[in-house]
Amino acid sequence: MGNDISNLLSKFGATVDGYLEIEAAINYKEPSRKPKAPLVVAQQGAAVTAAGPVDGSAGAEPAPVVAASAAAPLLADPVPSSLQRIEPVMDPVTAPSPAPVAARLAPVAPLARPAPAPTAPTATPAAVSPDASASVPVQAASTTEPAVPTLLRSMLGEAAREREAQQRASNDDTGQPQLAVPPTTPAQVIAVVSPKGGVGKTTLCSALACSLARHGRVVAIDLDPQNALQYHLGVSAEAVARQTAAAASGDWRSSMAVGTAGTQVLSHTVVAAAGEAALARQMSVDGQWLLRQLHALQLQAGDVVLLDLPAGQTPYLEQALQAADQVLAVVTPDAGSFLALEHMRQALHGRNNCRYVVNKYDGSRSFCQDMLEVLKRWMGPRLAGVVALDHAISEGLAYGFNPLVKAGHSPVYDQLQGVSEVLRAAVLKAAAAGARA
């Protein structure tokens, strides 16, 4: 041993004289190892506790119970001797608790949409039983979305407003009048009607036209297919021929003829230039046909228009009632007129601008007296006058003479003047108020 050390030192140029061997006690320490966790399998039906088996057998060490997934703690101290017993440290065994229901329900992200307006709080969804076999997300119905009918009505309203604005802009650009505004005329329009024929309606219409013509311009328009107004107003044969030739143009303003007392007469030939059937279809489609024709005449304030209508309820009546400022209904004191008047009660009697005239009254007959009393009670303050029976009126028409134009030719003249004054007073009152009579 010494020689080996001497030879080794001599190789490095040293001697054994300077070598000092020191013997020291070296305590080698075993590296710490990580022992495996003991696996203890519990017998089925046997309860194991820390003190020992339940049956109380002596001398048996208590077997520690660990879960299969539990890991033994690391040993920080040195490995003990074989006489020292290793006691593993274990956490208490507990059954894994199920996760809360709220944690198992994955929230569903809502679709991106604009923030709704604040609404009333919604009801909380019903609680889910913890022992449910399947985890089904429960969501409350959203009340922030608007109902479909409400949204549809809102969108339809916007579309309608845009369409109306475009129509107004289009009418303004083209210069065409808007159909929504009904045409009007500044003249006062008086419609002379009757519930049945043969009551002298056209005769009274011509007499009133001559009476009112003393105070201003009067236009008499014949809407009766009998076309007799022009003869009562004394229109010449040449003027009738000119009207027939001008009827094809359909221009009312240029087709008028001059009648008695300076009246302007438009015959039914011009009115129905396209034929009665075509005119009836036009009136059924256009409820403002007559108003448009009167508007085209370009009349002035203070002018009076007298409309001679056919008897009964006709399409002309509907047009005239819409255009008229006053309505004058002519009846006779007989049962036929009264019964026919009952059929027109709704169309005439309910209007505030409707008045009545009892024509061809024969005071020598008691039946006429009784019928006049019945009509007075039925009409009340709407009765504008009573005109007596005068055979000279019908006889004068045969000779081309109208006894109602001048005083002294018929006692009926004064009675007609009274009716004319009632109508004229209503015209003046309406003109002063700027409204219909």
Side-chain angles (χ1 to χ4, degrees):
M1 178 70 177
N3 293 332
D4 293 336
I5 295 175
S6 177
N7 293 334
L8 178 62
L9 293 177
S10 62
K11 290 181 180 181
F12 293 97
T15 61
V16 295
D17 297 335
Y19 173 75
L20 179 60
E21 184 177 355
I22 300 174
E23 183 178 358
I26 300 175
N27 185 15
Y28 291 96
K29 189 176 183 180
E30 290 291 335
S32 61
R33 298 179 181 178
K34 184 177 182 181
K36 294 183 179 180
L39 179 60
V40 179
V41 180
Q43 298 294 330
Q44 186 176 3
V48 181
T49 61
V54 178
D55 54 2
S57 57
E61 291 290 337
V65 180
V66 297
S69 61
L74 296 179
L75 300 178
D77 298 333
V79 179
S81 61
S82 59
L83 300 178
Q84 186 177 357
R85 185 170 179 268
I86 300 176
E87 294 289 342
V89 180
M90 296 174 293
D91 295 331
V93 178
T94 57
S97 60
V101 176
R104 288 188 285 120
L105 297 181
V108 180
L111 297 177
R113 56 169 63 90
T119 58
T122 58
T124 305
V128 182
S129 175
D131 57 352
S133 59
S135 298
V136 181
V138 180
Q139 296 179 349
S142 176
T143 59
T144 59
E145 289 294 335
V148 173
T150 304
L151 179 60
L152 180 59
R153 285 194 297 268
S154 177
M155 297 176 66
L156 287 176
E158 293 179 1
R161 287 190 292 271
E162 292 179 0
R163 173 172 47 79
E164 293 174 357
Q166 292 177 359
Q167 290 178 353
R168 287 193 297 268
S170 177
N171 292 333
D172 294 341
D173 295 340
T174 58
Q176 297 179 355
Q178 298 182 9
L179 299 180
V181 180
T184 58
T185 176
Q188 290 291 311
V189 182
I190 302 175
V192 183
V193 303
S194 63
K196 62 183 289 293
V199 298
K201 169 187 56 66
T202 301
T203 303
L204 289 182
C205 183
S206 61
L208 293 174
C210 296
S211 177
L212 294 174
R214 296 191 307 234
H215 306 284
R217 182 186 181 188
V218 174
V219 178
I221 301 177
D222 194 354
L223 298 179
D224 193 341
Q226 294 182 359
N227 201 20
L229 184 61
Q230 57 185 343
Y231 303 112
H232 285 273
L233 289 174
V235 178
S236 63
E238 293 79 7
V240 172
R242 288 194 300 269
Q243 279 194 333
T244 303
S249 65
D251 185 7
W252 288 13
R253 189 178 182 188
S254 61
S255 302
M256 292 184 182
V258 179
T260 306
T263 58
Q264 294 185 341
V265 185
L266 186 68
S267 69
H268 189 75
T269 305
V270 180
V271 173
E276 287 294 330
L279 182 57
R281 287 193 299 268
Q282 185 176 3
M283 286 189 294
S284 63
V285 173
D286 186 3
Q288 298 179 348
W289 166 80
L290 182 57
L291 277 172
R292 300 185 196 284
Q293 296 293 341
L294 296 177
H295 178 77
L297 291 177
Q298 300 180 3
L299 302 175
Q300 304 297 323
D303 296 344
V304 177
V305 177
L306 280 170
L307 303 176
D308 184 19
L309 276 78
Q313 290 182 309
T314 64
Y316 293 100
L317 179 63
E318 298 176 3
Q319 296 275 339
L321 293 180
Q322 185 178 5
D325 298 287
Q326 299 185 66
V327 179
L328 185 65
V330 182
V331 299
T332 52
D334 53 50
S337 290
F338 183 81
L339 295 177
L341 195 60
E342 280 292 323
H343 293 287
M344 298 181 65
R345 175 192 291 268
Q346 185 176 1
L348 299 178
H349 204 62
R351 300 176 62 91
N352 296 327
N353 60 350
C354 181
R355 295 176 175 84
Y356 298 90
V357 173
V358 179
N359 192 28
K360 298 182 180 182
Y361 171 68
D362 187 0
S364 62
R365 300 180 59 187
S366 58
F367 179 77
C368 285
Q369 297 176 7
D370 296 340
M371 281 300 305
L372 181 59
E373 291 298 325
V374 172
L375 291 175
K376 284 182 178 180
R377 295 176 183 179
W378 192 87
M379 298 172 182
R382 298 174 182 270
L383 180 61
V386 179
V387 179
L389 175 64
D390 187 2
H391 295 287
I393 299 176
S394 58
E395 294 172 359
L397 180 62
Y399 295 98
F401 172 74
N402 191 348
L404 302 178
V405 175
K406 293 182 180 180
H409 295 282
S410 172
V412 178
Y413 177 84
D414 295 333
Q415 297 171 355
L416 283 176
Q417 293 304 313
V419 177
S420 176
E421 290 300 324
V422 171
L423 297 178
R424 185 170 178 269
V427 169
L428 296 177
K429 180 179 178 181
R436 287 190 170 187

